[in-house]
Structure formats: C-alpha cells, structure tokens
Amino acid sequence: MPDLIGPDLKVLFSGINPSLYSAATGHHFARPGNRFWPALHAAGFTDRVLHPSEQHLLPALGLGITNVVARATARADELTPDELVKGGDLLTDLVRRIAPHHVAVLGVTAYRTAFGRPKARIGPQPETIAGVPVWVLPNPSGLNAHFQLADLAEEFARLRAAL
C-alpha cells in the first residue's frame, strides 16, 4: 500500500498494517467494519464520513496515512515482533523525511513492540519519533472490541484538540 502523504501534514496516522481487503482495494482502512473513517469525522478532522476511496482528499486537510508494517494480513496479530521493530525503524525514517507536526500510531500493542515502549498507554507519549510528538490511538479495526466508536472518537478528538 502506498503511503498517503503530502506537504505540511498536521497528523500522519499510522495503522499497524493493511488488511487483506485494504491491499486488494488499494485504500487504507477499507475493510467493512473498520471505524477509522467514522472516528475521523466524529472527532472533527473531516466534515463528513469519507469513504476509503476518498482517501486522496486527506492531504489537503493536512492528514496522511501510512502503516508500521507494509505486509497485508487478515489480522494484525499475524505480524512477528521482528516485523514490527523493523517497521518502527521504517516509520521513523519516513517521519524524519516528511516531518509531520504529529504522528498518531493506531494500536497500542503494536506501538509498544515497534518502539520498545512496553508501558505505553493510549494518548500522548513522552517520547517522540524523529523529534515529532507521538499519540497512540486505539486500533480502529472492527476486531478491536475494547473500544466502541464513541470511545475511538473521543480519543481522536483529544488528539485534534491538542493540535
């Protein structure tokens, strides 16, 4: 999946890795049941719920999307710790290159592994990635039963308010 980036990004959202459905469609967070797009709207980042096929509109809003790991899987738990660590290094290189204002990693478990932060929690992090402030947001996958849409929207809105 190609990164969705542009100049002067306010936030670079980083998913864990693409789903098989996203890889097949070429659109980030495309799997039916993924709550990324509704949470983005509910938090006020977009004026309406965008369809994944409209992802190209995000850079004009100062938003970008990438993934920690490029390999598509049915479930994020299919990734190895080594893949996540290598992906964290690649994400660091991307952040260094494009210098967004904030990075938001969507998935606390993946963040902990990729960046060696075993005690990380949802929200702003004391550490940076290549000098850029980091927020960890809940994974918006429909498979993440710990967070409902209202909870996701609240966390996304906390990030938006901090901008």
Side-chain angles (χ1 to χ4, degrees):
M1 295 269 314
D3 294 330
L4 181 69
I5 56 176
D8 197 32
L9 293 180
K10 295 176 197 164
V11 181
L12 176 64
F13 291 96
S14 180
I16 300 168
N17 73 309
S19 69
L20 297 174
Y21 192 91
S22 285
T25 64
H27 301 124
H28 292 275
F29 303 105
R31 185 174 184 214
N34 192 296
R35 287 116 9 120
F36 175 78
W37 300 101
L40 203 64
H41 169 63
F45 281 105
T46 60
D47 62 359
R48 63 183 172 84
V49 177
L50 298 177
H51 185 271
S53 65
E54 296 177 296
Q55 67 184 18
H56 64 278
L57 299 173
L58 291 183
L61 301 174
L63 307 174
I65 303 175
T66 189
N67 288 289
V68 175
V69 175
R71 183 170 71 93
T73 60
R75 298 174 53 99
D77 62 7
E78 295 175 37
L79 300 172
T80 67
D82 187 52
E83 284 179 291
L84 288 165
V85 170
K86 287 178 182 173
D89 292 341
L90 292 173
L91 179 58
T92 299
D93 291 343
L94 176 64
V95 169
R96 188 174 288 115
R97 193 171 74 246
I98 68 168
H101 297 236
H102 288 81
V103 176
V105 178
L106 291 95
V108 68
T109 302
Y111 176 79
R112 287 173 180 158
T113 302
F115 293 96
R117 306 287 184 214
K119 296 183 181 194
R121 299 195 181 279
I122 299 294
Q125 302 303 301
E127 302 84 19
T128 64
I129 295 176
V132 174
V134 179
W135 279 71
V136 174
L137 295 172
N139 181 350
S141 168
L143 299 174
N144 181 4
H146 297 295
F147 286 87
Q148 298 304 311
L149 179 56
D151 304 315
L152 290 169
E154 183 178 323
E155 294 299 334
F156 276 56
R158 286 181 58 215
L159 167 59
R160 185 171 176 266
L163 300 178

